[in-house]
């Protein structure tokens, strides 16, 4: 990698703010609040008194699983197109808008029994969120010298936890997660989407497109180019067995983390029966310890 100077504070701030902004989605929707709403309220309880939310939990896992499979299949293609065309910022903006709009649409699906619209919006919004994580990460090598990239990345991760904390505090004003309160809980999606929308503005105001694209040959589409580049990568990666082992191990490690993130508070609510005050304490402790870590 060529030696680069660190970009301006304004550009670093813009890049870090995307983590602050999109943490609202992963914290409110995936981790703390909406998963519980979906599995306990939107999906009707079953007949099994020992596990009445089994069906809701299965559908929640299935929706997240489908979205992550789509991300895994499309990520290499999107990455190849972005690298070739130098359109990282456009792809990031597209994922940002799709995630915001689909998250806001939870307003129309937060009623008991409105399963399939909520199910579809979980897939779409989480696909857009996870794709956006890939897109924003692609800027990191251009933000400073190689020795500083870990520190720069840590700035964004740390700031992101405070974004999650702020968004949960905002959404918590809507009240308890109960069927009787579902008219207020309908606003969880719009509140989160609005937070993401406003907090993400500095990213697109200050972040630049740092690479230069390659002129596309006549008669060939970007999709065809991406297929060719991914195919070449898959063929050549067999020469780097250590890298293959690392990437496969990383894939399963991140998958296990995704399960924990998606079910930690659902498990706490349904199995451990933690009270709201304990739920809040656990969340605050996690955010601060993770940020400082």
């Amino acid at each position: 990698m060529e030696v680069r100077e660190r970009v301006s504070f304004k550009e670093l701030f813009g890049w870090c703010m995307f983590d602050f902004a999109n943490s609202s989605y992963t914290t409110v929707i995936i981790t703390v609040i909406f998963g519980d709403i979906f599995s306990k309220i939107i999906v009707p309880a079953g007949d099994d008194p020992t596990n009445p939310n089994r069906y809701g939990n299965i559908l929640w896992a299935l929706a997240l699983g489908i979205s992550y499979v789509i991300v895994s299949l499309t990520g290499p293609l999107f990455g190849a197109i972005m690298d070739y065309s130098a359109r990282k910022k456009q792809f990031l903006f597209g994922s940002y808008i799709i995630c915001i709009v689909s998250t806001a649409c939870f307003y129309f699906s937060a009623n008991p029994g409105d399963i399939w619209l909520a199910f579809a919006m979980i897939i779409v919004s989480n696909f857009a969120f996870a794709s956006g994580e890939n897109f924003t990460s692609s800027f990191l090598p251009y933000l400073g010298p190689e020795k500083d990239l870990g520190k720069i990345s840590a700035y964004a991760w740390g700031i992101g936890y405070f974004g999650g904390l702020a968004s949960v505090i905002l959404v918590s004003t809507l009240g308890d997660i109960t069927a009787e309160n579902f008219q207020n809980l309908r606003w969880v999606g719009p509140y989160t989407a609005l937070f993401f929308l406003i907090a993400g503005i500095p990213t697109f105001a200050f972040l630049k497109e740092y690479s230069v694209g390659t002129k596309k040959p006549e008669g060939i589409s970007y999709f065809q180019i991406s297929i060719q580049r991914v195919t070449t990568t898959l063929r050549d990666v067999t020469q780097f067995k250590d890298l293959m082992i690392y990437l496969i191990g990383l894939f399963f490690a991140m998958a296990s983390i995704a399960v924990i993130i998606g079910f930690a508070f659902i498990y706490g609510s349904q199995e451990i029966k933690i009270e709201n005050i304990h739920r809040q304490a656990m969340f605050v402790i996690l955010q601060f310890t993770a940020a400082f870590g």
Side-chain angles (χ1 to χ4, degrees), residues 77 81 216-231:
L77 301 177
I81 294 172
K216 184 172 69 69
E218 294 291 334
I220 187 169
S221 67
Y222 281 119
F223 178 74
Q224 291 172 306
I225 291 171
S226 69
I227 292 292
Q228 292 172 0
R229 290 169 72 92
V230 170
T231 301

Side-chain angles (χ1 to χ4, degrees), residues 81-98:
I81 294 172
M82 287 192 306
D83 289 341
Y84 193 89
S85 63
R87 295 181 179 178
K88 294 179 176 64
K89 196 170 179 179
Q90 291 182 27
F91 273 79
L92 181 61
F93 184 75
S95 69
Y96 165 76
I97 293 299
I98 292 171

Side-chain angles (χ1 to χ4, degrees), residues 165-270:
L165 181 63
S167 59
V168 168
I169 291 173
L170 174 66
V171 172
S172 295
T173 61
L174 296 173
D176 295 334
I177 300 175
T178 62
E180 294 74 23
N181 190 41
F182 75 83
Q183 287 296 343
N184 286 330
L185 295 177
R186 291 165 67 103
W187 290 94
V188 165
Y191 272 37
T192 305
L194 182 62
F195 185 100
F196 192 176
L197 175 67
I198 294 173
I201 290 174
T203 299
F204 301 100
F206 303 142
L207 197 61
K208 299 177 181 179
E209 184 69 64
Y210 297 101
S211 57
V212 178
T214 304
K215 183 177 175 59
K216 184 172 69 69
E218 294 291 334
I220 187 169
S221 67
Y222 281 119
F223 178 74
Q224 291 172 306
I225 291 171
S226 69
I227 292 292
Q228 292 172 0
R229 290 169 72 92
V230 170
T231 301
T232 301
T233 299
L234 291 174
R235 184 182 65 242
D236 293 345
V237 78
T238 57
Q239 302 174 32
F240 305 95
K241 293 184 179 179
D242 289 347
L243 178 62
M244 288 181 62
I245 293 171
Y246 167 74
L247 292 176
I248 292 171
L250 182 64
F251 175 84
F252 284 102
M254 295 306 293
S256 65
I257 292 173
V259 172
I260 294 171
I261 291 172
F263 278 92
F265 282 81
I266 291 176
Y267 179 80
S269 173
Q270 297 179 17

